[in-house]
Amino acid sequence: MSPPENPNGGAAAAAPSEPAPPAKPSSSKGKKKDDKKDDDLSEEDLALKEQLELYVVRAQDVDPGVQRLALESMRQEIRSATSSMTSVPKPLKFLRPHYGTLKSYYETMPESELKKYMADILSVLALTMSAEGERESLRYRLLGSEGDIGSWGHEYVRNLAGEIAQEFQKRQGDDMPIDELMELVQQIVSFHMKHNAEPEAVDLLMEVEDLDLLVEHVDSTNYKRTCLYLTSSSRFLPSPDDTLALDIAYTIYMKFEDLASALRIALLLDNKSIQYVKQVYTATDDLVLKKQFSYIIARHGLAMEIDDEIAADENDKEMLQEIVNNTKLSEGYLTLARDIEVMEAKSPEDIYKVHLIDGRGASSSLDSARQNLAATFVNAFVNAGFGQDKLMTAPSDSSSSGSSGNWLFKNKEHGKASAAASLGMILLWDTDSGLAQLDKYLHSTDTHVVAGALLGIGVVTCGVKNDCDPALAILMEYVNKDDSNIRIGAILGLGIAYAGSQKDELRVQLSAILGDPQATLEVLVFTAVALGLVFVGSCNEEIAQSIIFFLMERSEAELAEPIIRLLPVALGLLYLGKQESVEATAEVSKTFDEKIRKYCDVTLMSLAYAGTGNVQKLLGICSQHLEKGETHQGPAVLGIALIAMSEELGAEMAVRSLERLLQYGEQNIRRAVPLALGILCISNPKVNVMDTLSRLSHDADADVSMAAIISLGLIGAGTNNARIAGMLRNLSSYYYKEAAHLFCVRIAQGLVHLGKGLLTLSPYHSDRFLLSPMALGGIVTVLHACLDMKSTILGKYHYILYIIVLAMQPRMLLTVDEDLKPLPVPVRVGQAVDVVGQAGRPKTITGFQTHTTPVLLAAGERAELATDKYIPLTSTLEGFVILKKNPEYHEE
């Protein structure tokens, strides 16, 4: 900025040329005294210093004309002084000793223009001189003239902003008027917004609790950066400030018609979600844009009815509803698979790679049924969603006896249930052919097979909704059968198929089962879990009541059953991520039997605050020493991970806290630590976590090592990570005599190769911005079951593992044209860079490679278009992205 014109036409230059007798003696006195100091100063500095001292004397002159001239000149000097960021500007440095003199003189001046002029100068001098906490700069600013504050430079404005924040808090405490402060705030905010300092403007407005002001100061050049800062800082704000910040960002996005970004915020603001989502839809008439919104909603898993307000035309309505229902997912996923050329079915042997393990083979004499069960899961995980495999869907007329019926019966009793259900996983998202192929098992005479088929129906329709609800129609028939296996299959199937849909008829039906005196304990527990999944994060009081009553009526013996630990989880799922809303229920849980009271309390807290980043409550619980038989520290450890997973920094700190717990914690804490690490880095194999888990997988305590093995599978889920695959192969030969461990190794191997490396289990999507409650609900349920593996996953409840399907999503970027046909374009994929609050237009990705879509996105990667030919309809390139031709693009 050039220094402003001097009103007195170059008074600064004219001043020294006048005869100035009174100044001579003072300067020569100063000479003697400051001799030592002045030797360091250069000629110019010395001249400047003397001149400024002259102005100070002149400013106290009797003649107002002389005073005015001196103040003008002083002001001119201060304004035109440029300095580096690290040192104090020279004029301010030389005027330091005279600050007190000028201050006391100011008090004696009569009210006049000049006095205001003096106040301006004192306000700037106070920048370097005033004592801590005095807020003198602000005081003189308010007394001074109204002029433009920006002309005194950036540093001055920042200092003022800081002082305003302190003053505001003090005045609020004393109930003093704040109007004059707010006028200044207006000026400062507008200055910051014009000079690319959006974060500082936002910070100031947060301090003075008036974020609404922001909306009028934002313009089309800086709204994106402002909103980016608002949304990323909302994670660190206490409630209700966090929702306020997001609300303002939503308003700004809507103002500038960046509707896709507004929609993401609407999805983040749970309590207002639906009404905001409607607003976004109705803000545009562009059908293609509405299709893009529908893809975003489908990925988030929000159950939404497209009504006449959103699309008037019947055909359009049907089309949008189809996208929201996720019916296009299977097709898109298979397009990706064909493009990457991984359509060929894989068998479990292709995953185990026994030939790479030296020495002792896998020919150990372990019970084959369990090995077959493991192979069932590996097969299901690896071929998930591909619609073909070598065990279940292989053609029956082939010369080998590999018909699907045969594999089913290579499993014992409840193993058959998992085998039948695995068909649902293989045909994932492809409802039509899935229901057709599972149908034949529903007529089986073996109850386990029927139960598995029912669960498979739930799995195959997971995340894909359908207007005629075939899953509901089929499964409801079996919910009240006599055989408890069949009931569990049907109930869990409903829970998986309708997770997050909050369907009312399911509430009625399933709540009725909770009150059924004939039902076995396991049926009741799974009913509660299914209710928790269907109504995840709904805070539904009625369901909470019925689960609480059910818990209160349990006898001592029943409360000792390991499966009972899923009940608090079911209750917690209703409040997943809903923070304070859980408190009433948590109070009631304090009245439970002491066996389960603490367990319930901790589980409720950890789920209610999941993904919010507020860890303090739970770290305390882990540091206590316990008597034998208490189990509530396990959920507390998982809780730390659930809460801290919301942002990178918190996650890294949590990894460190968990390391400490490993060293100093009790045994039951150590058993939960590997699982907590697994959830912190789910589908994101960080090397330090991988090494910790590798070390723990050889732990002396069997539970710790099994948990570590499963967690190696979780952190590598769907990544095909070679290092983890190698570790697991070595573990399979290390534990070749331990059936339970070997089973865990196999499950982990299946997870690492999930969907042949095309899937992810991460519940976060859209640049780690949105958390899908269904996905998190599925992960939490499975991990709580893993806290006691011997009685759940290694016992007869291994089908709980299928609940993880709720978190399975393709980690792809698929670009389509306006008619939703795949459209290959070049994109750059690289590590995402956090650019919040950085100046200019920094690159958002680093170390990129250019590929042609469809492409895979690993954890922490981001994509951007490498061509100007098309414009994406959403700023976050993930999942399905619709591209529009760029009208301004000209081929060269």
Side-chain angles (χ1 to χ4, degrees):
M1 293 182 293
S2 59
E5 298 301 306
N6 198 317
N8 290 19
S17 60
E18 295 173 14
K24 277 282 188 303
S26 75
S27 70
S28 58
K29 249 188 258 154
K31 261 254 172 63
K32 290 191 187 95
K33 196 167 68 208
D34 293 342
D35 242 353
K36 290 195 174 62
K37 258 196 184 158
D38 288 2
D39 289 347
D40 306 343
L41 296 180
S42 65
E43 293 280 308
E44 314 157 26
D45 287 359
L46 208 56
L48 179 65
K49 183 172 180 206
E50 287 179 5
Q51 201 171 321
L52 284 167
E53 285 171 353
L54 168 72
Y55 294 153
V56 173
V57 177
R58 287 278 179 82
Q60 301 168 34
D61 201 291
V62 274
D63 175 7
V66 174
Q67 271 192 355
R68 174 171 212 110
L69 205 59
L71 287 173
E72 258 318 325
S73 323
M74 218 189 293
R75 176 180 190 144
Q76 192 60 22
E77 281 296 345
I78 294 173
R79 285 194 174 178
S80 56
T82 50
S83 76
S84 66
M85 286 300 282
T86 47
S87 62
V88 180
K90 294 236 167 63
L92 289 184
K93 195 159 135 196
F94 297 144
L95 284 170
R96 260 179 160 165
H98 307 289
Y99 180 60
T101 332
L102 289 174
K103 228 161 73 169
S104 39
Y105 179 67
Y106 172 79
E107 301 303 333
T108 64
M109 286 172 79
E111 281 303 322
S112 66
E113 273 298 298
L114 276 180
K115 183 162 184 176
K116 288 192 167 177
Y117 232 73
M118 183 64 130
D120 284 357
I121 286 181
L122 283 172
S123 171
V124 180
L125 289 181
L127 188 63
T128 57
M129 278 305 297
S130 83
E132 189 69 29
E134 287 290 296
R135 297 196 284 286
E136 284 181 347
S137 184
L138 178 62
R139 196 180 102 210
Y140 287 120
R141 174 76 231 167
L142 294 173
L143 293 168
S145 54
E146 294 289 289
D148 166 33
I149 49 170
S151 58
W152 292 102
H154 235 125
E155 247 345 281
Y156 174 64
V157 178
R158 287 170 81 164
N159 184 52
L160 262 187
E163 293 190 0
I164 286 180
Q166 296 167 3
E167 180 71 20
F168 178 82
Q169 281 172 341
K170 182 171 166 298
R171 288 193 182 189
Q172 260 203 326
D174 309 345
D175 278 343
M176 287 156 66
I178 50 171
D179 305 344
E180 47 176 5
L181 279 186
M182 294 321 280
E183 279 173 29
L184 251 186
V185 169
Q186 282 272 18
Q187 286 188 30
I188 293 180
V189 169
S190 110
F191 174 80
H192 278 326
M193 293 306 273
K194 288 193 183 76
H195 292 91
N196 297 339
E198 298 88 356
E200 289 175 31
V202 174
D203 287 343
L204 175 62
L205 289 173
M206 279 181 188
E207 289 286 351
V208 298
E209 297 168 18
D210 193 5
L211 266 178
D212 300 341
L213 266 181
L214 203 56
V215 182
E216 56 199 75
H217 285 290
V218 191
D219 60 31
S220 55
T221 57
N222 59 18
Y223 81 91
K224 280 192 174 144
R225 299 177 38 181
T226 310
C227 290
L228 186 63
Y229 185 72
L230 278 171
T231 49
S232 47
S233 58
S234 73
R235 288 189 183 153
F236 302 100
L237 292 172
S239 137
D241 298 355
D242 51 355
T243 29
L244 180 72
L246 290 170
D247 242 331
I248 301 287
Y250 172 81
T251 315
I252 294 175
Y253 277 138
M254 289 300 276
K255 178 179 166 186
F256 291 101
E257 299 197 337
D258 186 346
L259 298 176
S261 304
L263 178 65
R264 292 170 59 209
I265 291 182
L267 291 173
L268 194 62
L269 284 165
D270 288 329
N271 41 6
K272 313 196 181 123
S273 247
I274 294 289
Q275 79 188 63
Y276 273 12
V277 170
K278 287 245 166 86
Q279 281 175 12
V280 173
Y281 266 107
T282 46
T284 176
D285 295 326
D286 183 353
L287 183 65
V288 184
L289 205 51
K290 289 182 181 175
K291 289 181 196 170
Q292 180 65 64
F293 299 158
S294 305
Y295 276 130
I296 296 175
I297 286 173
R299 171 66 181 92
H300 191 57
L302 184 71
M304 191 173 111
E305 202 65 31
I306 299 281
D307 55 19
D308 295 335
E309 281 175 63
I310 293 175
D313 182 63
E314 277 302 313
N315 293 347
D316 295 350
K317 208 156 80 180
E318 201 171 296
M319 182 162 176
L320 292 176
Q321 188 68 58
E322 265 199 354
I323 300 178
V324 169
N325 288 347
N326 235 339
T327 39
K328 301 262 184 284
L329 186 58
S330 174
E331 195 184 314
Y333 177 62
L334 293 173
T335 307
L336 169 78
R338 277 186 212 99
D339 192 82
I340 299 181
E341 299 180 358
V342 289
M343 280 305 289
E344 192 187 335
K346 285 195 161 175
S347 67
E349 285 69 41
D350 299 339
I351 302 301
Y352 300 161
K353 299 200 171 137
V354 180
H355 61 278
L356 293 178
I357 306 168
D358 23 292
R360 42 186 182 205
S363 60
S364 62
S365 55
L366 286 181
D367 61 344
S368 58
R370 179 169 269 184
Q371 290 222 338
N372 286 350
L373 180 62
T376 299
F377 279 109
V378 172
N379 184 49
F381 286 148
V382 172
N383 295 304
F386 285 91
Q388 52 184 23
D389 71 325
K390 290 185 176 167
L391 300 182
M392 295 297 295
T393 58
S396 45
D397 54 14
S398 59
S399 51
S400 71
S401 57
S403 77
S404 64
N406 292 358
W407 179 256
L408 233 181
F409 298 108
K410 285 184 184 163
N411 287 286
K412 279 191 194 148
E413 299 142 21
H414 45 79
K416 292 181 207 160
S418 279
S422 72
L423 192 56
M425 177 87 81
I426 292 160
L427 297 160
L428 189 57
W429 305 318
D430 182 359
T431 35
D432 301 343
S433 98
L435 295 174
Q437 294 201 38
L438 281 161
D439 186 60
K440 59 174 185 259
Y441 294 133
L442 290 178
H443 309 303
S444 166
T445 47
D446 188 325
T447 53
H448 289 293
V449 175
V450 178
L454 293 167
L455 179 58
I457 288 172
V459 171
V460 80
T461 52
C462 168
V464 179
K465 303 171 196 65
N466 191 322
D467 294 341
C468 51
D469 280 332
L472 192 67
I474 298 171
L475 297 174
M476 273 305 185
E477 289 175 31
Y478 292 89
V479 169
N480 294 316
K481 287 273 196 272
D482 299 336
D483 184 89
S484 64
N485 287 324
I486 291 186
R487 290 184 81 170
I488 292 176
I491 290 166
L492 257 189
L494 285 169
I496 292 174
Y498 293 100
S501 66
Q502 305 189 15
K503 259 197 185 324
D504 206 51
E505 46 197 299
L506 283 176
R507 179 183 63 79
V508 179
Q509 282 279 357
L510 294 176
S511 302
I513 299 178
L514 276 184
D516 173 5
Q518 302 299 308
T520 57
L521 180 66
E522 43 183 10
V523 170
L524 296 167
V525 171
F526 282 117
T527 307
V529 170
L531 276 168
L533 290 172
V534 175
F535 288 86
V536 64
S538 65
C539 301
N540 187 312
E541 290 301 322
E542 280 181 59
I543 298 176
Q545 287 295 338
S546 44
I547 297 181
I548 287 170
F549 285 143
F550 174 66
L551 255 168
M552 286 177 163
E553 290 162 2
R554 299 288 59 100
S555 64
E556 284 273 318
E558 288 180 308
L559 287 177
E561 288 283 322
I563 189 80
I564 212 91
R565 70 171 59 222
L566 288 176
L567 277 175
V569 180
L571 194 53
L573 285 173
L574 297 172
Y575 297 97
L576 188 69
K578 287 291 181 280
Q579 309 197 22
E580 286 78 45
S581 322
V582 78
E583 280 166 11
T585 309
E587 280 308 309
V588 180
S589 77
K590 294 193 166 75
T591 61
F592 291 167
D593 186 304
E594 71 251 26
K595 270 199 173 151
I596 196 153
R597 184 187 314 152
K598 281 183 171 165
Y599 192 96
C600 203
D601 196 39
V602 174
T603 307
L604 282 175
M605 277 303 154
S606 66
L607 290 183
Y609 287 90
T612 58
N614 181 0
V615 189
Q616 297 314 320
K617 296 184 173 167
L618 295 170
L619 275 170
I621 298 175
C622 296
S623 56
Q624 302 157 0
H625 281 277
L626 293 189
E627 294 85 65
K628 198 162 165 36
E630 290 221 42
T631 53
H632 69 276
Q633 284 179 319
V637 177
L638 282 186
I640 292 174
L642 283 173
I643 292 172
M645 68 194 286
S646 64
E647 33 90 43
E648 293 291 314
L649 202 68
E652 274 177 40
M653 282 155 61
V655 168
R656 248 183 263 133
S657 314
L658 290 169
E659 285 279 341
R660 298 272 306 285
L661 291 178
L662 268 182
Q663 287 157 358
Y664 306 115
E666 312 267 311
Q667 204 53 30
N668 50 5
I669 292 186
R670 294 195 55 215
R671 286 171 188 171
V673 168
L675 296 170
L677 288 170
I679 198 168
L680 268 179
C681 302
I682 195 157
S683 289
N684 181 8
K686 292 192 175 151
V687 177
N688 54 340
V689 177
M690 209 189 303
D691 290 343
T692 306
L693 289 174
S694 173
R695 191 178 76 233
L696 290 175
S697 62
H698 296 79
D699 197 88
D701 183 271
D703 289 300
V704 176
S705 53
M706 286 194 289
I709 293 169
I710 291 281
S711 292
L712 276 173
L714 289 173
I715 66 169
T719 59
N720 283 352
N721 185 293
R723 192 160 167 224
I724 294 183
M727 284 176 187
L728 291 170
R729 278 200 300 275
N730 293 338
L731 285 167
S732 73
S733 75
Y734 181 74
Y735 285 122
Y736 78 114
K737 279 191 175 147
E738 309 274 339
H741 281 80
L742 193 58
F743 184 76
C744 291
V745 172
R746 297 303 186 213
I747 298 291
Q749 284 178 311
L751 285 171
V752 169
H753 298 280
L754 193 64
K756 300 177 196 158
L758 307 189
L759 295 171
T760 175
L761 289 182
S762 171
Y764 282 93
H765 59 100
S766 159
D767 250 349
R768 276 193 69 83
F769 182 67
L770 292 174
L771 171 68
S772 158
M774 282 70 72
L776 188 58
I779 296 169
V780 169
T781 314
V782 173
L783 282 178
H784 271 272
C786 288
L787 281 172
D788 186 0
M789 285 213 220
K790 291 198 168 89
S791 48
T792 49
I793 306 240
L794 300 170
K796 61 176 185 173
Y797 302 117
H798 39 76
Y799 44 78
I800 292 179
L801 282 170
Y802 284 117
I803 299 181
I804 203 85
V805 72
L806 292 172
M808 284 164 49
Q809 287 287 349
R811 51 189 189 98
M812 63 175 179
L813 161 62
L814 184 66
T815 45
V816 294
D817 60 16
E818 297 180 24
D819 304 322
L820 311 186
K821 299 273 178 292
L823 174 69
V825 292
V827 289
R828 291 191 279 267
V829 180
Q831 276 309 107
V833 182
D834 186 14
V835 294
V836 182
Q838 286 187 11
R841 291 220 187 90
K843 294 267 182 282
T844 51
I845 57 174
T846 173
F848 59 82
Q849 291 180 323
T850 307
H851 299 290
T852 307
T853 58
V855 293
L856 285 181
L857 297 174
E861 285 189 335
R862 204 181 269 161
E864 53 182 46
L865 280 192
T867 163
D868 297 333
K869 191 171 176 184
Y870 297 99
I871 303 173
L873 293 186
T874 161
S875 53
T876 316
L877 299 191
E878 243 173 71
F880 290 88
V881 176
I882 302 177
L883 300 180
K884 221 161 55 177
K885 278 213 165 67
N886 184 350
E888 285 147 33
Y889 175 76
H890 300 297
E891 297 249 350
E892 281 158 25

